[in-house]
Amino acid sequence: MGNEQKVNVAIVGSTGYGGVELIRLLLNHPNVNIASVISASSAGAPIADGFPHLNEIMCDTLDGVNAEEIRRKADVVFTATPSGVSGKLVPELLDAGLTVIDLSGDFRIKDGAVYTAWYKHEAPQAELLEEAPYGLCELYADSGYAQGQRIISNPGCYPTATLLGLAPAVKAGWIDPASLIIDAKSGVSGAGRGVNLGVHYAELNENFKAYKVNKHQHIPEIEQTLSEVAGTPVTVTFTTHLMPMTRGIMCTMYASLTGNYSEQDFISLYKEHYAGRRFVRIRPQGQWPATKEVFGSNYCDIGFAVDERTKRVTVISVIDNVVKGAAGQAIQNLNLMMGWDEALGLQLTPVYP
Amino acid sequence: MGNEQKVNVAIVGSTGYGGVELIRLLLNHPNVNIASVISASSAGAPIADGFPHLNEIMCDTLDGVNAEEIRRKADVVFTATPSGVSGKLVPELLDAGLTVIDLSGDFRIKDGAVYTAWYKHEAPQAELLEEAPYGLCELYADSGYAQGQRIISNPGCYPTATLLGLAPAVKAGWIDPASLIIDAKSGVSGAGRGVNLGVHYAELNENFKAYKVNKHQHIPEIEQTLSEVAGTPVTVTFTTHLMPMTRGIMCTMYASLTGNYSEQDFISLYKEHYAGRRFVRIRPQGQWPATKEVFGSNYCDIGFAVDERTKRVTVISVIDNVVKGAAGQAIQNLNLMMGWDEALGLQLTPVYP
Amino acid sequence: MGNEQKVNVAIVGSTGYGGVELIRLLLNHPNVNIASVISASSAGAPIADGFPHLNEIMCDTLDGVNAEEIRRKADVVFTATPSGVSGKLVPELLDAGLTVIDLSGDFRIKDGAVYTAWYKHEAPQAELLEEAPYGLCELYADSGYAQGQRIISNPGCYPTATLLGLAPAVKAGWIDPASLIIDAKSGVSGAGRGVNLGVHYAELNENFKAYKVNKHQHIPEIEQTLSEVAGTPVTVTFTTHLMPMTRGIMCTMYASLTGNYSEQDFISLYKEHYAGRRFVRIRPQGQWPATKEVFGSNYCDIGFAVDERTKRVTVISVIDNVVKGAAGQAIQNLNLMMGWDEALGLQLTPVYP
Amino acid sequence: MGNEQKVNVAIVGSTGYGGVELIRLLLNHPNVNIASVISASSAGAPIADGFPHLNEIMCDTLDGVNAEEIRRKADVVFTATPSGVSGKLVPELLDAGLTVIDLSGDFRIKDGAVYTAWYKHEAPQAELLEEAPYGLCELYADSGYAQGQRIISNPGCYPTATLLGLAPAVKAGWIDPASLIIDAKSGVSGAGRGVNLGVHYAELNENFKAYKVNKHQHIPEIEQTLSEVAGTPVTVTFTTHLMPMTRGIMCTMYASLTGNYSEQDFISLYKEHYAGRRFVRIRPQGQWPATKEVFGSNYCDIGFAVDERTKRVTVISVIDNVVKGAAGQAIQNLNLMMGWDEALGLQLTPVYP
């Protein structure tokens, strides 16, 4: 496919970790041309100045944020912007005739009041919340949710790992939705590229800490989808921890069984549920995934442990938060939106060791 | 106190991580003289050969394992030996007239059949299991359990963090003992100094993994004490993870509340329960402990989060697994056994950063 | 290109870090089909059993080491075997009609006596040493050294970083070859996947250590090529260190200037020398490369500092030891051998952060 | 010694890494009472608020910077302040009648013009520069430099490791002072507790980078002392690197031999030179120190490699930059100043693993 036939995309927020990963992945995408890399704070500078790993790979200068200018260069725009920023920017981009895949949290929560309660600022306009499908590919791909959309809301990193790990069992009624406890751990890149004492190397190295216990803004996103899947309101206990590593999320999830389901039953249920979905891998009995096994890739690996003594199941899911939890899934959504193979440009073998 | 007045101690298993930490801490103890460092595998070599950090600090040559010889040099012996080894060695040491503080798991489980079910080898003789008190200092110090004992069984690392975090609430009846879920994470030193692919740096760095889910041998130790505290049999769900760091354990623990207890209620309950115990520190409301905050010290820090939406409490406890989870608590047991101040030689400020 | 038109390759030593990286990279190569993954120690097991990151990506079972069987499946074989093993295996592979790219050190040193002095075992047969060109692509690509060869000897990781950093200045006569001092640092993956206390996570984390000072077997490899480039025997001072990280080599190299060359002069000299070579990137004045900037990629980045006070230049080069220092360069050699674009399958953007 | 008999000390800059380590170490010092912890930026807050590892250990509230108030509480003050700040503050403290041990670089360079050239701001007044001895304990202890001084200038971290490693050989005339090349590596804590992208965990983890090549402000400090030791002006090549770890400095140093000195000769020379100095440990032949072997302690370990092929010696020295490179050495200077045993309060076994 020549450059003239490729889809031109722009990336707003190119200097964040999500944005710069979009660049890495889209450079590898056969149908896409990166037409504009955009940064409000660094416009005018060559992107390789701040990101020497891109030397001689990407020579582009960063553009400013201007909907009309973006429209002249691109058809699709990824908004890898902080929550609160996207809510205001996306309507302008849509008005300019662009198609948007939004990586912020702004369009995920469909109830504006819930959004405001957790995000602590005003929600975007209700029609857009309604218009933007929640792009958790493996849950909704069969519905054709993405094709032809003007805007897709890309899921959060924790919700991706959590929902892929819990939804099949909740849907099947095998676990009690009132019993869900999610112990989530993330690498530091999830906190973004902004600087504060909390991400200082000397503070995080050889350290493990909990944060925002029961207060993380991804909680309502998880509950919204689980409630929909369960057909009843679901409330979860959700703890987030920071791990001394760069990339990776593990969710260790606990639920009470509603029947005598074995580990092998869970494996079969999930394999069937995710049949044909190439980015979910179910681990064989007695094995649990580790974050390194998905490092740099778009996979979500899931394993199970059933405790017959306590009648509980432990579901363990891992993703690379920067790929499946952000940039990779956004490209997967682009693929679905364009009617392409969902794995196009995303067939990345995890980097090991 | 001159050397002639000090208590002479020996350390069996001096070349393991627990043993070498005993050396570091006991060198700092005003009432103790390290009379013999012992290693079955390296006897005859100066200990500093394998541990250059001890150069010019400890010039001793490693002794072999011989109960009579140990008795000639020492009065008290720490057995920092693998489980299965202590069970056989300790009776010999006792017969030789030594007093023993055992860091293996061999004397913790009071029911030999349970021991065998989890440890997969034969239990030590029943009378010794009965004789050896379980030395979780902060739970039992008031009972005078240690004073005058011939043998004390030092708790495991995970059980120490778990039990200190759960026992007061279980005892008070504030949480439902049937609801306990423990998500535990440990640094790699907890796996010991033996080599295998699982502890290779390139396999663990930038990695986080679960292991022995529902199968860890510390589970019956936790359940034994919680059952005693609750006055009813308690079964827990317990997941262990390996973190990419050297020292530190965090237990994130979940339980259903039996009443409307607030975070401040928990703080008060625990402060009262641990009044006078210098190594448990309760965090103020809205703060949770991080492993680095106890690194190199004998502290166990505990914090709480009450989720009013789900009527659950999250208790977070951290320890340095090599200190409070092994060598430090063993010395604390020595102090109690000898009738000394329990903090003697253990007033270590955590190493930060 | 259909599978039937692709070149079939085999990988001996597939379960080492070099071998498993060959798999990752070759899966991405448009002209190659991985026809056999081979391991003497694990033959018969599915490779994904030991490498769960390959689940659903590579379903192959590991083959044993048998030249005739390899020949039935493949045309080209990569030998990612320990030194000493390749020396014996490669003649068999050649006799069977295979073409070999050897990643061990066995065919790099052209003087068998020198090989034995440093590697401490017998050298391969002299004719093969002579036949096998030293495949440092950027130094020799113009000579067409690789095309049509039966066997290519892939350079070592340290020599790759060292020689790419020093050769242009030595060749130009700008630095005194008698003054060369190389301070080299490597991530732990360079030590291989074998287990010993030296690679235990708890021993290496938060640690930095020197090893094999003046004794590393890569010294004669460096001296052989520098002597050839200088046209006079060159002896170097070479120190190797282990860094607490997985991938990456930095060589910080010192040399006395033979004239008043500026940093900008060096930049120009190297840019000219490496014109058209896509995997060497010269950093602008005042910038020095960091290992993360080449992580996961085939790049070698080089920067300079001229100290006018001491009339010395400091040259800093970085590579990913597993890619440009092993698997990536081996594929680059395959590309040159087959007459393909040298970057085929190797256009990997470094993984950042 | 009762509190009333102890020396009262104050710490300015208590919330930096050097200051907080002074607290850790001084809490362990039998002759010292910490009378005031001071921070310009956080005055009024309990120190444990920002440093939870000090909970229940130190309950003090941070004081502001006021010379008269400090004098009312303390006799000796440690100034762990940034360079530029100390130069202005110290005269006030001295005027108030306090004795000062300064950890900034402000009083190390005795030539004000050289100071300004490297530090880029005005030098302190010349009389104070002259008055303040350079407190590199092991080089000058025999001269009694510290006893009775009003002000001591504590050496920098890199200079401590460099000078202890090079001075004996330079003094003995065994190495050519014109040939000195120092390849220095530091953990991140050396960069201080200030936040910027350069210390972001995700930028430094799995990364190794050079910085300030030939431009580090510790260069004139090293040259000043080496020139004095050599009796001739010495200019060094000095490269600094950032390692992905928290604490530790290694200097790998290269020099041309002036005669046929063996490794054993160097070991004997250094052992004699440092006879009676308890914090320098010389490694036996064939062993080189690793940073972890001094972690948390005041030791400087030194090893040697003589390369007979190139007639060069490689000297490798390691320290914990926060202890021997800052707080520990400052306390050693206090001890010498007060006429106490230099090791008082500093007999710290390195924390391993």
Side-chain angles (χ1 to χ4, degrees), chain C residues 178 183 185 203 205-208 223 236-237 239 241 245-247 252 254 291-292 309-310 312 352, chain D residues 178 183 185 203 205-208 223 237 239 241 245-247 252 254 291-292 309-310 312 352:
Chain C
D183 194 276
K185 303 98 176 164
E203 304 283 324
N205 181 40
E206 191 71 9
N207 198 4
F208 189 88
E223 293 179 345
V236 300
T237 289
T239 308
H241 304 80
M245 46 194 277
T246 300
R247 288 171 176 240
T252 312
Y254 302 92
T291 61
K292 190 185 270 293
R309 303 185 322 130
T310 60
R312 291 193 189 106
Y352 164 89
Chain D
D183 193 277
K185 302 95 176 166
E203 303 282 326
N205 180 41
E206 191 70 10
N207 198 3
F208 188 88
E223 293 179 344
T237 290
T239 308
H241 305 81
M245 45 193 278
T246 300
R247 288 171 176 240
T252 310
Y254 303 91
T291 60
K292 188 185 269 295
R309 304 186 321 132
T310 60
R312 292 193 188 105
Y352 164 89

Side-chain angles (χ1 to χ4, degrees), chain C:
Chain C
M1 202 184 263
N3 243 22
E4 68 290 354
Q5 301 163 293
K6 292 185 177 186
V7 169
N8 286 306
V9 308
I11 302 166
V12 183
S14 286
T15 58
Y17 288 142
V20 78
E21 183 75 347
L22 276 166
I23 293 173
R24 180 175 81 94
L25 300 180
L26 289 171
L27 284 169
N28 193 42
H29 195 296
N31 291 9
V32 166
N33 174 51
I34 303 178
S36 173
V37 285
I38 296 162
S39 164
S41 58
S42 310
I47 187 162
D49 277 10
F51 300 89
H53 73 286
L54 293 177
N55 269 331
E56 302 185 18
I57 296 175
M58 170 163 272
C59 304
D60 300 39
T61 292
L62 287 158
D63 292 324
V65 186
N66 180 305
E68 292 305 324
E69 278 183 29
I70 297 173
R71 185 63 194 98
R72 276 194 287 280
K73 294 186 173 179
D75 299 300
V76 180
V77 59
F78 292 93
T79 47
T81 35
S83 86
V85 173
S86 276
K88 285 172 187 136
L89 176 63
V90 165
E92 292 177 38
L93 298 170
L94 295 173
D95 285 351
L98 285 152
T99 296
V100 176
I101 295 171
D102 180 56
L103 286 83
S104 86
D106 282 359
F107 297 90
R108 297 179 197 149
I109 309 297
K110 299 311 173 188
D111 180 333
V114 171
Y115 175 91
T116 299
W118 291 85
Y119 281 84
K120 312 294 180 201
H121 48 235
E122 211 186 337
Q125 50 198 91
E127 317 81 73
L128 279 183
L129 293 180
E130 202 168 324
E131 180 180 347
Y134 182 66
L136 188 53
C137 308
E138 282 77 12
L139 285 199
Y140 300 116
D142 292 340
S143 75
Y145 72 92
Q147 201 148 4
Q149 290 295 327
R150 272 203 320 169
I151 170 169
I152 292 178
S153 176
N154 205 54
C157 51
Y158 285 126
T160 296
T162 300
L163 294 170
L164 293 179
L166 290 179
V170 167
K171 191 176 179 193
W174 288 17
I175 56 177
D176 176 4
S179 71
L180 301 176
I181 291 172
I182 300 143
D183 194 276
K185 303 98 176 164
S186 177
V188 182
S189 59
R193 201 160 172 254
V195 294
N196 58 67
L197 188 60
V199 297
H200 192 302
Y201 185 91
E203 304 283 324
L204 284 175
N205 181 40
E206 191 71 9
N207 198 4
F208 189 88
K209 64 178 179 187
Y211 70 102
K212 289 195 188 175
V213 183
N214 296 330
K215 305 234 186 308
H216 198 285
Q217 70 276 11
H218 285 170
I219 292 175
E221 182 180 340
I222 291 166
E223 293 179 345
Q224 173 178 275
T225 297
L226 286 181
S227 298
E228 183 193 306
V229 170
T232 180
V234 173
T235 309
V236 300
T237 289
F238 184 76
T239 308
T240 38
H241 304 80
L242 213 47
M243 305 189 281
M245 46 194 277
T246 300
R247 288 171 176 240
I249 280 180
M250 177 181 285
C251 290
T252 312
M253 300 175 278
Y254 302 92
S256 298
L257 296 172
T258 58
N260 283 318
Y261 305 106
S262 68
E263 289 173 3
Q264 202 51 63
D265 291 337
F266 273 92
I267 290 168
S268 300
L269 176 72
Y270 277 62
K271 286 208 165 183
E272 191 171 344
H273 189 278
Y274 291 123
R277 305 268 73 89
R278 272 173 293 167
F279 294 122
V280 174
R281 302 189 295 190
I282 306 303
R283 304 297 295 265
Q285 196 173 1
Q287 284 187 20
W288 305 286
T291 61
K292 190 185 270 293
E293 291 157 11
V294 298
F295 185 98
S297 82
N298 200 48
Y299 289 104
C300 175
D301 283 10
I302 303 174
F304 307 92
V306 166
D307 190 356
E308 306 202 345
R309 303 185 322 130
T310 60
K311 306 294 177 209
R312 291 193 189 106
V313 65
T314 306
V315 183
I316 299 177
S317 67
V318 298
I319 59 169
D320 181 322
N321 57 301
V322 194
V323 188
K324 183 61 179 168
Q329 187 154 249
I331 295 170
Q332 201 178 347
N333 271 309
L334 172 70
N335 290 340
L336 294 172
M337 178 189 262
M338 307 300 290
W340 301 332
D341 175 355
E342 75 170 338
L344 209 64
L346 293 173
Q347 284 169 307
L348 305 152
T349 302
V351 179
Y352 164 89

